[in-house]
Amino acid sequence: IKLLLRDLDKKENDQITMEKLVERINDVSASLIDMVFRENNILYPTLKTILSEGEWAAIKEEEDVFGYYKIKPSKWTTEEKPIYPYQIDRELTEKEVSQLPNEIKTILTKGETEGDKHRVVREGDIRLDKGYMLSDEINMLFKTLPFGITFIDRDDRVRFFSGRRTFSRTESVIGRSVRLCHPPKSVGIVNKILKAFKEGSREKADFWINIGDSLIYIQYIPIRNEKGEYLGTIEIEQDVTDIKKLEGEKRILDWK
């Protein structure tokens, strides 16, 4: 459809022939008809057969993320808790298989596909808000991020720092008051930012400074729990020199 819209723009500027435009329209029309047929006769009947109410609850919970085409479904609720793909560990019954569309049934009976046996939750995994990770993975993730992070808790103490830092920082700052991590002339600004975050009157403070040929972008962002209660502040520092130079788009991998 996007290509068709581009071609329509080209036609207005006489950059494409009518014959080519009609060919594109026919291709799009055939693709849409085929897609709707497969949805109505294969996809929807299959989902109706194999998905539990808990799985539908998970779909309903996440559908707003992707949005809707033309219409928005009516409100639907269930007492079942959402069940996500990684939480499912079962095989289809013979009755369920018999109710599937022939296209899917043929694939299953021929053994042309194999179920995903991977287990998401491993021994030692830490349950995060969205997913699971080992402590080593979390640690290396922070160390690999292309910017530096410092976490200051609700008592204004440095609890954690990692990432690629512009300003040197050693482990001796852990547990130290954040006010002792800044020059005396900056303490007033630090106090003002933290006070505003705790009061809820501000949700961000940012600065950018030049160090040599580099442009450093610094952000302070409050962290709150689901109730809106203040848990601490995260400081992010990033060298944005190369980012500032970006223009246009880059959609192709240029590795050599």
Side-chain angles (χ1 to χ4, degrees):
I1 293 177
K2 287 183 178 180
L3 291 175
L4 176 58
L5 292 174
R6 291 177 188 173
D7 286 346
L8 288 172
D9 289 336
K10 290 180 180 179
K11 185 65 180 75
E12 289 183 359
N13 299 317
D14 295 325
Q15 295 177 334
I16 188 173
T17 64
M18 179 59 73
E19 182 181 16
K20 194 69 176 177
L21 184 60
V22 170
E23 181 183 336
R24 178 77 74 187
I25 292 173
N26 288 335
D27 287 343
V28 171
S29 177
S31 296
L32 288 174
I33 292 172
D34 181 64
M35 180 185 70
V36 172
F37 175 84
R38 291 172 183 270
E39 287 178 343
N40 290 336
N41 295 279
I42 301 175
L43 176 62
Y44 298 148
T46 299
L47 297 180
K48 184 178 180 181
T49 299
I50 67 175
L51 294 188
S52 66
E53 191 161 330
E55 291 168 272
W56 282 115
I59 293 172
K60 184 65 178 177
E61 188 177 76
E62 297 190 330
E63 62 184 9
D64 284 338
V65 174
F66 300 100
Y68 310 90
Y69 176 65
K70 288 190 176 180
I71 62 171
K72 184 171 183 178
S74 57
K75 187 175 181 180
W76 176 77
T77 58
T78 176
E79 294 182 357
E80 295 291 330
K81 292 183 178 180
I83 300 175
Y84 297 95
Y86 68 86
Q87 297 173 312
I88 300 169
D89 183 17
R90 74 179 185 90
E91 295 185 0
L92 296 178
T93 64
E94 291 186 8
K95 181 179 179 180
E96 288 174 326
V97 172
S98 68
Q99 294 173 341
L100 291 171
N102 290 331
E103 293 84 354
I104 302 298
K105 196 185 306 180
T106 300
I107 294 174
L108 293 177
T109 54
K110 285 185 177 181
E112 296 178 358
T113 183
E114 185 177 337
D116 188 352
K117 303 297 183 181
H118 177 71
R119 294 291 177 265
V120 171
V121 184
R122 305 156 297 182
E123 183 178 352
D125 265 332
I126 298 172
R127 177 69 165 102
L128 303 173
D129 182 50
K130 302 295 182 184
Y132 300 82
M133 294 181 72
L134 298 171
S135 60
D136 183 54
E137 292 171 335
I138 296 173
N139 188 45
M140 294 312 299
L141 182 150
F142 278 114
K143 291 182 70 173
T144 308
L145 289 174
F147 46 81
I149 288 178
T150 300
F151 174 61
I152 304 156
D153 67 16
R154 70 181 76 203
D155 297 319
D156 305 336
R157 299 281 176 169
V158 177
R159 299 285 301 180
F160 166 86
F161 71 89
S162 188
R164 302 179 185 181
R165 308 197 58 81
T166 299
F167 306 106
S168 299
R169 187 160 290 172
T170 64
E171 196 169 345
S172 61
V173 303
I174 301 299
R176 184 182 300 175
S177 169
V178 68
R179 295 170 183 81
L180 300 178
C181 299
H182 293 269
K185 64 180 181 180
S186 301
V187 172
I189 300 298
V190 172
N191 288 336
K192 183 176 181 179
I193 292 172
L194 295 178
K195 183 175 183 293
F197 287 172
K198 292 176 181 179
E199 293 173 346
S201 61
R202 297 283 183 172
E203 292 300 320
K204 182 180 178 181
D206 58 355
F207 309 87
W208 46 96
I209 59 177
N210 292 302
I211 298 181
D213 295 328
S214 299
L215 177 64
I216 309 302
Y217 183 44
I218 305 166
Q219 302 176 77
Y220 295 90
I221 301 171
I223 296 178
R224 308 185 191 282
N225 61 20
E226 294 181 353
K227 297 179 181 179
E229 298 168 336
Y230 178 78
L231 299 179
T233 291
I234 184 172
E235 175 196 71
I236 305 171
E237 60 179 70
Q238 183 175 11
D239 186 335
V240 296
T241 308
D242 292 334
I243 295 176
K244 187 180 179 183
K245 296 176 183 177
L246 294 177
E247 294 181 352
E249 295 182 340
K250 176 187 174 184
R251 293 173 175 264
I252 300 175
L253 183 66
D254 59 359
W255 289 359
K256 295 181 180 179

